[in-house]
């Protein structure tokens, strides 16, 4: 009998995260479909079928992440894939930024993946092939920063890319690999209706 493969996706109730969960299930994974709102997690898991397990997980709240990791441990002794997908964005510039918005974006898009990775690493290390996939953005690339706009979002994704490299290097001696990926410009609530890619294409890089 083949061993079950387990994945956890943050912000999986809608958008790219929901589609990543769907495509991983199609590939045979059991997926922890997480949302900061447990009812939304349950609704999303219900629509994804028997291989979806609903969990509450607010990446901006350490206690919520810790509780979710404990619940994952109740289902499985290892985790193969963590997708740090949850994200938010504000339309701001460096010169007129709102410190409250910067804190919210950094907490969700940058600190969230750090905290989530920390609590799930013990399970990822027990997989023969553990992977952390950070959903980043071209907008965080150093070379694209000069275009400006969405300043707090750009800062958070640049920092996320730095975290990816640092964590990957610290985990070199283990079987866990860490990646940053850009989904492209995708039609979701964040991407808007003018985006060039359907959600299926936005999810496939991470999958
Ligand atoms: P979206 O449609 O706005 O969905 C964002 C998801 O993140 C929602 O499920 C949202 O949950 C969740 N979320 C926000 N804050 C959270 C928190 N504190 N804890 C847990 N979940 C939280 O956005 P998307 O387009 O699918 O984006 C997904 C990822 O792709 C993000 O990291 C984004 O930066 C990245 N990305 C998107 C594009 C694009 O063109 N769309 C391009 C490059 C990168 P709620 O429903 O509760 O709000």
């Amino acid at each position: 009998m083949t061993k079950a493969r387990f994945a956890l996706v943050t912000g999986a109730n809608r958008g790219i995260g929901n589609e990543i969960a769907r495509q991983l299930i199609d590939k045979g994974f059991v997926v922890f479909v997480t949302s900061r709102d447990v009812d939304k997690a349950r609704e999303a898991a219900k629509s994804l079928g028997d291989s979806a397990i609903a969990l509450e997980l607010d990446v901006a709240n350490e206690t919520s992440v810790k509780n979710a990791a404990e619940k994952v441990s109740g289902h499985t002794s290892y985790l193969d894939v963590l997708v740090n997908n949850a994200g938010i964005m504000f339309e701001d510039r460096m010169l007129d930024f709102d410190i409250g918005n910067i804190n919210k974006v950094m907490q969700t898009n940058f600190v969230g993946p750090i905290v989530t990775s920390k609590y799930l690493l013990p399970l990822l290390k027990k997989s023969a092939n553990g992977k952390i996939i950070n959903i980043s953005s071209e907008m965080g690339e150093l070379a694209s920063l000069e275009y400006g706009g969405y300043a707090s979002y750009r800062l958070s994704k640049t920092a996320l890319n730095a975290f990816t490299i640092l964590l990957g290097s610290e985990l070199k001696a283990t079987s866990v690999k860490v990646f940053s990926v850009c989904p492209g410009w995708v039609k979701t609530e964040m991407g808007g209706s003018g985006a060039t890619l359907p959600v299926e294409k936005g999810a496939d890089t991470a999958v």
Side-chain angles (χ1 to χ4, degrees), residues 31-95:
V31 178
F32 294 96
V33 172
T34 76
S35 168
R36 55 181 160 179
D37 176 333
V38 72
D39 290 332
K40 286 187 193 169
R42 287 192 186 122
E43 206 177 303
K46 200 171 162 199
S47 75
L48 291 170
D50 293 344
S51 296
I53 300 169
L55 276 188
E56 180 176 341
L57 194 165
D58 180 344
V59 301
N61 177 333
E62 184 171 0
T63 307
S64 167
V65 178
K66 188 167 177 269
N67 290 342
E70 279 168 12
K71 286 192 179 141
V72 173
S73 299
H75 285 275
T76 169
S77 59
Y78 60 92
L79 182 68
D80 299 293
V81 180
L82 162 64
V83 185
N84 284 314
N85 164 80
I88 57 172
M89 182 168 80
F90 293 107
E91 211 172 329
D92 54 8
R93 300 184 323 136
M94 278 319 350
L95 288 177

Side-chain angles (χ1 to χ4, degrees), residues 111-207:
V111 181
I114 296 177
V115 173
T116 309
S117 302
K118 173 188 158 173
Y119 283 103
L120 290 167
L121 252 178
L123 289 173
L124 286 158
K125 283 182 173 169
K126 289 190 188 140
S127 162
N129 208 3
K131 289 186 177 65
I132 297 174
I133 317 284
N134 294 323
I135 307 297
S136 187
S137 169
E138 191 183 350
M139 287 171 85
E141 277 182 4
L142 291 178
S144 90
L145 297 182
E146 63 178 320
Y147 298 116
Y150 304 97
S152 55
Y153 180 79
R154 286 183 186 275
L155 283 175
S156 71
K157 294 297 186 179
T158 305
L160 180 64
N161 291 345
F163 163 63
T164 300
I165 296 170
L166 282 167
L167 183 64
S169 105
E170 288 184 20
L171 289 172
K172 240 179 202 148
T174 75
S175 57
V176 181
K177 304 287 171 239
V178 193
F179 303 86
S180 249
V181 301
C182 173
W185 187 22
V186 187
K187 287 186 213 299
T188 60
E189 271 184 45
M190 183 187 285
S193 56
T196 47
L197 297 175
V199 78
E200 294 78 12
K201 284 278 167 213
D204 68 359
T205 308
V207 171

